[in-house]
Amino acid sequence: MTTVSHPTATVPAQRSAGTTARLADYQKFTAAVLRTCESDPGARAALRSGVGKNLDAVPRMHRIIAHLVPANAGAATERAYYAVAAMIAEQARRRGTTNETADDTCSEAVEPSGEETPAKAPTPTGKNDDGVREYGTSLGASFALAVVDSPGRERQMRRGTAESRLNILCKQGTTGLHRHLPASVRYLRSLDVLVDWARLLQDLDDWHRRSGHVTRRWLQDFYRRCQEDARREANRNDTHKPTDATDA
């Protein structure tokens, strides 16, 4: 029996309350992969074998997830699905190897829990039904959490380290991103920081056609969250600043 590791860090606020149909499809996919990893150790091992590999080097994965990937998806989209499934599987842990409780078992799985039907072909707009662009919890926000709100403060990531890792990812082409991403995700999860798998899948799917757009959001989320934390820290210091004796 396997279970997934569970973050305890605070989930960053999303930019909008809505969820696009596109993101919902990604959530269904990642939820299906999480359930498979929890219930089938062999399937989990097969998915995990694909970490960092291209589509032609992951024969064991096809039996597990090929039916969940849109049939009309291009190679870049297929690779995004396979990459995220492999990273999810890598982060799953055998039950009993952590201090997680049974109630936590599904906390990282996203809400959809219906039938494991193939995801619809994603639309390029990324907007919800009201035409408002939806975003969610980006990888940049997760890096920021690792700096300012990592559950294990003794294992907190230095801001310079987070910036360096994030900037390296942002400079990559599609092949480079798939090569470097697993290590960064592994590092974040080692700090018990949440990774929004569905959001990451959408960003990976978008990368080959608009990486600049994705990286802008990653970096904005990172620096905004860090700046917010710095402002709060400054306010706390001002609140607790001793009153000057000469003012008495």
Side-chain angles (χ1 to χ4, degrees):
M1 187 65 179
T2 59
T3 186
V4 295
S5 56
H6 304 287
T8 54
T10 303
V11 178
Q14 297 191 358
R15 297 188 182 192
S16 73
T19 299
T20 65
R22 183 186 181 197
L23 186 59
D25 287 337
Y26 293 133
Q27 290 173 339
K28 290 178 182 177
F29 173 80
T30 56
V33 172
L34 283 161
R35 288 195 298 274
T36 297
C37 290
E38 287 190 352
S39 62
D40 187 341
R44 171 177 168 261
L47 294 178
R48 188 177 57 199
S49 70
V51 173
K53 298 179 181 176
N54 63 46
L55 290 174
D56 294 332
V58 292
R60 297 175 62 194
M61 295 185 70
H62 302 313
R63 178 179 65 84
I64 312 300
I65 65 166
H67 66 291
L68 300 176
V69 177
N72 60 343
T77 295
E78 284 188 352
R79 189 172 187 183
Y81 275 90
Y82 276 67
V84 169
M87 286 187 284
I88 290 174
E90 187 183 42
Q91 299 310 312
R93 299 173 184 174
R94 288 191 177 280
R95 188 185 299 278
T97 59
T98 70
N99 294 324
E100 297 155 1
T101 65
D103 289 342
D104 292 334
T105 303
C106 295
S107 64
E108 192 170 12
V110 287
E111 293 181 359
S113 56
E115 296 181 359
E116 297 178 6
T117 54
K120 298 176 182 177
T123 61
T125 61
K127 295 182 179 179
N128 62 21
D129 293 340
D130 297 325
V132 178
R133 186 167 295 282
E134 182 281 334
Y135 193 54
T137 306
S138 74
L139 194 67
S142 294
F143 268 103
L145 274 180
V147 174
V148 306
D149 197 24
S150 175
R153 301 294 290 187
E154 72 280 3
R155 294 181 295 155
Q156 191 175 25
M157 187 185 293
R158 294 179 182 276
R159 175 166 171 164
T161 301
E163 282 184 298
S164 177
R165 283 178 172 269
L166 189 57
N167 277 299
I168 288 174
L169 293 176
C170 290
K171 294 176 182 176
Q172 301 301 316
T174 301
T175 300
L177 180 65
H178 281 280
R179 183 171 64 250
H180 288 279
L181 189 58
S184 288
V185 168
R186 197 177 301 126
Y187 193 176
L188 290 170
R189 297 299 294 116
S190 73
L191 300 175
D192 289 334
V193 172
L194 176 73
V195 172
D196 184 336
W197 299 115
R199 181 68 253 175
L200 182 59
L201 173 52
Q202 182 165 331
D203 287 344
L204 284 182
D205 188 14
D206 284 342
W207 197 269
H208 68 286
R209 55 178 175 265
R210 52 175 190 160
S211 61
H213 185 75
V214 175
T215 58
R216 172 167 59 84
R217 285 177 164 170
W218 285 7
L219 293 170
Q220 286 179 339
D221 284 354
F222 176 78
Y223 287 112
R224 284 171 177 161
R225 184 65 179 85
C226 289
Q227 182 62 28
E228 179 185 358
D229 184 72
R231 179 181 56 78
R232 289 177 178 174
E233 183 65 23
N235 290 339
R236 281 195 295 269
N237 291 337
D238 289 343
T239 300
H240 296 92
K241 189 175 182 179
T243 303
D244 193 331
T246 58
D247 293 338

